[in-house]
Amino acid sequence: MYVSEMMTTDVATVTEEASLNKAFQVLHDRRHKVLPVVRGTRLVGLLSEKLLAEVQPSKATTLSVYEINYLLTRTKVRDVMLKLEEVFTIHPEALVEEAALALYTHDIGSLPVILADKTVVGIITQTDIFKAFISLMGVDHKGTRLTVEVENDIGMVAKISRIFEEAGVNISHIGNYDKGANKQEIVLRVDTADTSEIEKTLDTIGIKVANVLVF
């Protein structure tokens, strides 16, 4: 799965010459947490709710509403934005897991998606990653979820797949988790509510079924 398949393409942007008042308005209207800053269509920086909060006068200020509004109108986005070299970005043809790793590693909520010439084509957020995970694991599909615990041996997945094939049961989604000590947990979603015979077969060849949930 690629970033281009999960990203949001209807991206609100702001120019570096826009006022902070304008940026506040766009964030409020579009309910975004970040705004790519563009020159034409090319990314030159990034503005976030956090950055705007840092420059917004506190409630304890002695400035009047008029003075605050004047200040925010006079201050430009370029004065407070993160510059391009400070912004983490990703290409639309990158894998979704690369985006997930970047978001996790840098502890950020979103990544502008740009082409090689810096043209902004989308944005991918933590929410998009959650959607991708749901899709990959088939959480929104009816059927049965089986968790098996096995040795991390070559051919183990193929061995398990053959059992389902011989039983005439389709595996719609599969994922595996490293448990350490040469162990792994394989999660399978199958298109049937009755897996009792398959569970027996797995047990006879020494594959432990740790959990079964019917949805």
Side-chain angles (χ1 to χ4, degrees):
M1 186 179 293
Y2 296 98
V3 166
S4 60
E5 299 175 78
M6 297 305 301
M7 69 184 187
T8 298
T9 56
D10 181 22
V11 185
T13 61
V14 69
T15 68
E16 57 194 321
E17 296 303 318
S19 69
L20 292 191
N21 252 353
K22 173 66 175 178
F24 270 116
Q25 190 63 52
V26 175
L27 281 172
H28 178 269
D29 291 347
R30 296 296 295 270
R31 297 183 180 180
H32 290 343
K33 293 185 180 299
V34 298
L35 281 175
V37 182
V38 296
R39 187 180 299 151
T41 60
R42 297 184 179 183
L43 188 72
V44 294
L46 192 73
L47 195 63
S48 67
E49 279 186 333
K50 181 179 179 181
L51 284 173
L52 287 173
E54 289 174 355
V55 298
Q56 188 175 25
S58 74
K59 294 180 180 179
T61 183
T62 58
L63 295 174
S64 68
V65 172
Y66 174 81
E67 289 171 320
I68 292 172
N69 186 63
Y70 178 79
L71 176 63
L72 295 178
T73 301
R74 296 283 293 179
T75 306
K76 303 298 184 183
V77 166
R78 67 169 183 266
D79 298 324
V80 299
M81 71 180 189
L82 288 175
K83 303 298 190 292
L84 179 59
E85 57 270 19
E86 302 173 280
V87 180
F88 297 104
T89 63
I90 199 160
H91 191 275
E93 295 310 307
L95 297 173
V96 167
E97 49 261 48
E98 292 180 73
L101 180 60
L103 291 171
Y104 173 75
T105 302
H106 303 298
D107 191 23
I108 53 178
S110 59
L111 291 166
V113 184
I114 62 174
L115 302 177
D117 66 355
K118 310 304 181 188
T119 297
V120 178
V121 294
I123 194 164
I124 190 163
T125 68
Q126 289 178 339
T127 299
D128 296 319
I129 299 300
F130 293 150
K131 290 178 182 177
F133 177 77
I134 289 170
S135 176
L136 286 169
M137 296 306 297
V139 178
D140 53 351
H141 284 68
K142 290 185 177 180
T144 302
R145 177 187 188 274
L146 289 95
T147 303
V148 298
E149 295 178 359
V150 297
E151 297 289 330
N152 191 16
D153 295 336
I154 295 173
M156 183 58 71
V157 172
K159 185 177 182 179
I160 293 171
S161 297
R162 278 194 297 272
I163 292 171
F164 283 90
E165 180 184 8
E166 291 167 1
V169 174
N170 180 54
I171 299 174
S172 61
H173 301 81
I174 185 169
N176 69 292
Y177 303 90
D178 184 15
K179 303 292 286 186
N182 200 42
K183 300 283 186 179
Q184 65 174 325
E185 188 176 87
I186 299 177
V187 178
L188 308 111
R189 280 197 174 250
V190 297
D191 298 334
T192 182
D194 183 10
T195 58
S196 55
E197 291 303 314
I198 291 175
E199 291 172 53
K200 291 177 184 177
T201 302
L202 290 169
D203 184 63
T204 60
I205 61 172
I207 295 178
K208 178 185 177 182
V209 178
N211 184 264
V212 178
L213 293 172
V214 180
F215 292 88

